[in-house]
């Protein structure tokens, strides 16, 4: 079972970057060229997971507006708050029906003990990932982003992220954007610091494309193009 490491300080991130540089000269080159990420984390627990679910496939402005309406109306989001809220009230804040179903499924799973959200940080990334994706509506990308940005798992890795795939293509001179499985294979050399490698690749993408990367706020890319979120 893999050793658990956490990106909970600038020192931990620096350690990960140094180890990556020793493991892979390409990573060392990218960091030297300016792709040096900063430590960014979101609040763990239901509140942080709800933000990730809510913000998927939305523009920054839309996501922020919906989030403000949710907080203004319901206060801090908890499983009990979501379970008690009516569908009409949640829709009035701007949430779509699929997002409402996912948030309610998460709330129910937490309430009945099927998703021990407070215990995920003590689990290896793969086990925590499996616990999250067992909840209907939580896909691999959502689980990976939660592990990376809310829990700070150093070895979580969102291989299905299109921006990461495109960044890897650019960084390694690959003819075609690698698939998720191909990116997983490439990422084996970065264990147990795959999350740090992802942050470096997002930073490289931002430089290459002149656009802000996913690592700025853990927002997903659109499914139709390899463009990162916020």
């Amino acid at each position: 079972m893999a050793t658990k490491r956490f990106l909970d300080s600038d020192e931990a991130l620096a350690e990960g970057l140094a180890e990556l540089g020793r493991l892979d000269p390409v990573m060392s080159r990218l960091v030297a060229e300016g792709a040096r990420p900063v430590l960014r984390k979101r609040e763990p627990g239901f509140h942080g997971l709800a933000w990730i679910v809510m913000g998927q496939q939305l523009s920054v402005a839309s996501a922020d507006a919906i989030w403000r309406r949710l907080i203004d109306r319901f206060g801090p989001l908890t499983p009990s708050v979501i379970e008690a809220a009516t569908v009409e009230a949640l829709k009035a804040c701007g949430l779509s029906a699929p997002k409402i179903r996912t948030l309610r499924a998460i709330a129910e799973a937490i309430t009945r003990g099927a998703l021990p959200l407070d215990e995920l940080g003590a689990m290896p990334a793969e086990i925590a990932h499996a616990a999250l994706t067992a909840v209907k509506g939580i896909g691999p990308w959502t689980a990976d982003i939660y592990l990376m940005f809310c829990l700070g798992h150093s070895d979580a890795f969102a291989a299905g992220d299109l921006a990461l795939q495109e960044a890897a293509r650019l960084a390694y001179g690959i003819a075609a954007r690698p698939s998720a499985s191909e990116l997983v294979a490439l990422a084996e050399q970065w264990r147990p610091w795959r999350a740090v490698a992802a942050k470096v690749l997002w930073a490289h993408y931002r430089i290459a494309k002149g656009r802000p990367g996913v690592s700025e706020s853990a927002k997903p890319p659109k499914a139709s193009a390899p463009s990162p979120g916020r």
Side-chain angles (χ1 to χ4, degrees):
M1 190 171 290
T3 301
K4 298 186 292 296
R5 292 176 169 83
F6 296 95
L7 303 176
D8 53 6
S9 66
D10 290 333
E11 290 75 20
L13 180 59
E15 179 188 356
L17 289 170
E19 287 296 321
L20 276 179
R22 285 189 279 271
L23 292 170
D24 182 1
V26 174
M27 283 287 153
S28 180
R29 172 176 60 82
L30 295 181
V31 173
E33 292 174 349
R36 176 176 286 274
V38 296
L39 185 67
R40 298 184 188 278
K41 288 190 68 178
R42 282 202 166 272
E43 180 183 348
F46 183 77
H47 193 88
L49 184 54
W51 162 257
I52 295 170
V53 169
M54 183 279 303
Q56 290 180 22
Q57 305 295 355
L58 295 177
S59 69
V60 173
S62 295
D64 287 345
I66 293 171
W67 190 252
R68 283 195 301 271
R69 287 196 291 269
L70 281 169
I71 299 304
D72 288 345
R73 180 154 188 174
F74 297 107
L77 294 186
T78 64
S80 60
V81 164
I82 292 297
E83 287 182 311
T86 65
V87 171
E88 291 73 19
L90 293 171
K91 283 185 175 180
C93 293
L95 285 175
S96 66
K99 285 182 172 56
I100 293 171
R101 287 194 295 269
T102 297
L103 289 177
R104 288 196 153 179
I106 294 170
E108 180 187 358
I110 293 171
T111 298
R112 61 186 172 86
L115 178 60
L117 206 57
D118 292 338
E119 300 173 16
L120 296 186
M123 302 176 185
E126 289 85 355
I127 305 258
H129 187 278
L132 286 163
T133 55
V135 178
K136 187 173 182 179
I138 297 182
W141 188 93
T142 301
D144 289 325
I145 294 300
Y146 181 79
L147 293 176
M148 292 173 69
F149 287 96
C150 292
L151 295 185
H153 268 289
S154 71
D155 203 38
F157 189 71
D161 186 276
L162 296 182
L164 278 186
Q165 294 170 9
E166 178 66 5
R169 184 190 72 78
L170 295 169
Y172 290 84
I174 303 170
R177 192 170 73 238
S179 65
S181 60
E182 290 169 337
L183 191 55
V184 166
L186 177 65
E188 279 299 311
Q189 64 184 311
W190 305 325
R191 285 185 181 272
W193 299 103
R194 292 184 302 169
V196 180
K199 291 174 183 292
V200 171
L201 287 173
W202 273 320
H204 177 63
Y205 187 97
R206 185 171 66 248
I207 293 170
K209 299 295 185 179
R211 305 159 75 173
V214 173
S215 57
E216 293 296 326
S217 66
K219 296 291 293 300
K222 295 291 185 181
S224 59
S227 58
R230 188 174 181 173

